[in-house]
DNA sequence: TTATAATCCTAGTATCCGACTAGGGAAATC
DNA sequence: GATTTCCCTAGTCGGATACTAGGATTATAA
């Protein structure tokens, strides 16, 4: 449960690439797509909201591309995911659009506080991590020691880097 | 982002009804559906996994229904949502099925630690809340002071108690 | 000035999944 | 034995997600 969208997953990966390249001039979407094995066309759609949120800047023409609009240390993961998928909101009564009281169950709702606490908890985590931090602490907890090749082969079809099933 | 499924949302609401009625004999799905305004047929599907997880017990026949298998204080929200939608896993490489290293990006993945921290954070919250606690602290933070009727009317079509848009 | 490489923007599509509905047993009560 | 409930399987339908396609715009470079 609580799967993250490909949109956010891809978008964050793309942003880490830009963070790694920060200061070395723009990186093209094609390069990012190649490095992170992302569909280039789809990636293009993710660039737009990120740009409009002021997180990245685009340079057109040859040797153009994207670069972070601010240093990696000033970009939180929370800002990235909010730009792509909006604010964390497990239920609609925790969105900004929600007009308080419009849900008839509001006065007797026992579950709302649960999702509020979940939201606050997630927000705290996401807003406490910057792209700079991600790039330095990179492989603090690698998930693997040794992988039998046949085991890898067996997984074949399904991309293990996609969202959770 | 990070919306909760109707399945979990409905299921938790149903469980709070059972928690409230704990000790007073079984409650029928029809009663729960009525109280929480849930589709009865769908609710039936949620009862199965909850029963198989050992959280509720069913009594057939007239005056039958469901009741909690254990006291509300012993049922965490985490157990409820896991029974319905599985463990919290923002990305597949954080599921139990994932065989470590099967993702080629594993050794260089910068984003994995983010979702790991999110998962841990959410788990901690969900496992720290019991149904008993929900029933007592119920309306600690009501979302409403006064609602103009016309404002309620205007929302009409869309159920504000559903998952986030 | 022409070609090329890149961002920028809109629209369409298609597959999958979530949220149901339908229908029919099996058991318990009255 | 009639009713009420749980129990279980299967099917359906709409909408969203994850793309693809196609083009316009801008900058570089030969």
């Amino acid at each position: 449960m609580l799967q993250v969208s490909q949109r956010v997953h891809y978008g964050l990966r793309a942003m880490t690439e830009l963070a790694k390249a920060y200061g070395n001039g723009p990186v093209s979407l094609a390069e990012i797509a190649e490095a992170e094995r992302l569909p280039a066309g789809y990636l293009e759609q993710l660039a737009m909201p990120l740009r409009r949120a002021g997180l990245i800047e685009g340079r057109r023409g040859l040797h153009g591309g994207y670069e972070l609009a601010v240093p990696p240390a000033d970009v939180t993961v929370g800002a990235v995911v909010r730009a792509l998928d909006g604010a964390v909101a497990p239920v609609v009564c925790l969105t900004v659009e929600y007009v308080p009281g419009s849900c008839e169950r509001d006065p007797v709702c026992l579950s709302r506080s649960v999702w509020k606490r979940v939201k606050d908890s997630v927000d705290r985590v996401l807003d406490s991590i910057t792209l700079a931090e991600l790039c330095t602490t990179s492989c603090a907890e690698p998930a693997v020691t040794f992988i039998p090749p046949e085991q890898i082969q067996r997984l074949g079809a399904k991309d293990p880097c996609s969202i959770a099933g």
Side-chain angles (χ1 to χ4, degrees), chain A:
Chain A
M1 75 164 306
L2 281 188
Q3 302 168 33
V4 143
S5 66
Q6 292 282 59
R7 191 178 162 86
V8 157
H9 193 206
Y10 289 178
L12 181 58
R13 280 159 67 184
M15 287 298 275
T16 64
E17 290 294 320
L18 292 184
K20 285 194 287 185
Y22 185 69
N24 303 334
V27 184
S28 75
L29 288 180
E31 289 173 284
I32 297 173
E34 167 64 19
E36 292 282 336
R37 304 294 162 88
L38 303 176
Y42 189 47
L43 192 55
E44 216 173 321
Q45 296 199 348
L46 308 184
M48 254 187 295
L50 290 171
R51 194 174 59 86
R52 293 194 176 122
L55 298 174
I56 62 176
E57 281 172 356
R59 300 281 167 82
R60 297 211 251 199
L62 194 60
H63 303 135
Y66 288 96
E67 52 192 334
L68 291 186
V70 293
D74 293 342
V75 181
T76 66
V77 172
V80 172
V81 305
R82 273 190 296 273
L84 291 167
D85 266 8
V88 172
V91 288
V92 292
C93 63
L94 289 177
T95 60
V96 285
E97 307 97 54
Y98 176 73
V99 8
S102 63
C103 173
E104 61 167 13
R105 294 183 55 262
D106 230 342
V108 294
C109 188
L110 298 183
S111 60
R112 187 176 185 272
S113 69
V114 170
W115 307 123
K116 179 67 163 60
R117 283 198 247 178
V118 167
K119 170 186 164 47
D120 290 344
S121 173
V122 171
D123 278 339
R124 219 173 296 122
V125 169
L126 294 181
D127 287 336
S128 73
I129 310 175
T130 68
L131 294 183
E133 192 187 332
L134 276 188
C135 289
T136 56
T137 69
S138 61
C139 298
E141 36 180 336
V144 60
T145 47
F146 171 74
I147 327 111
E150 67 277 13
Q151 213 164 21
I152 297 177
Q153 206 64 319
R154 221 172 279 151
L155 293 170
K158 195 174 177 182
D159 173 16
C161 268
S162 82
I163 60 170

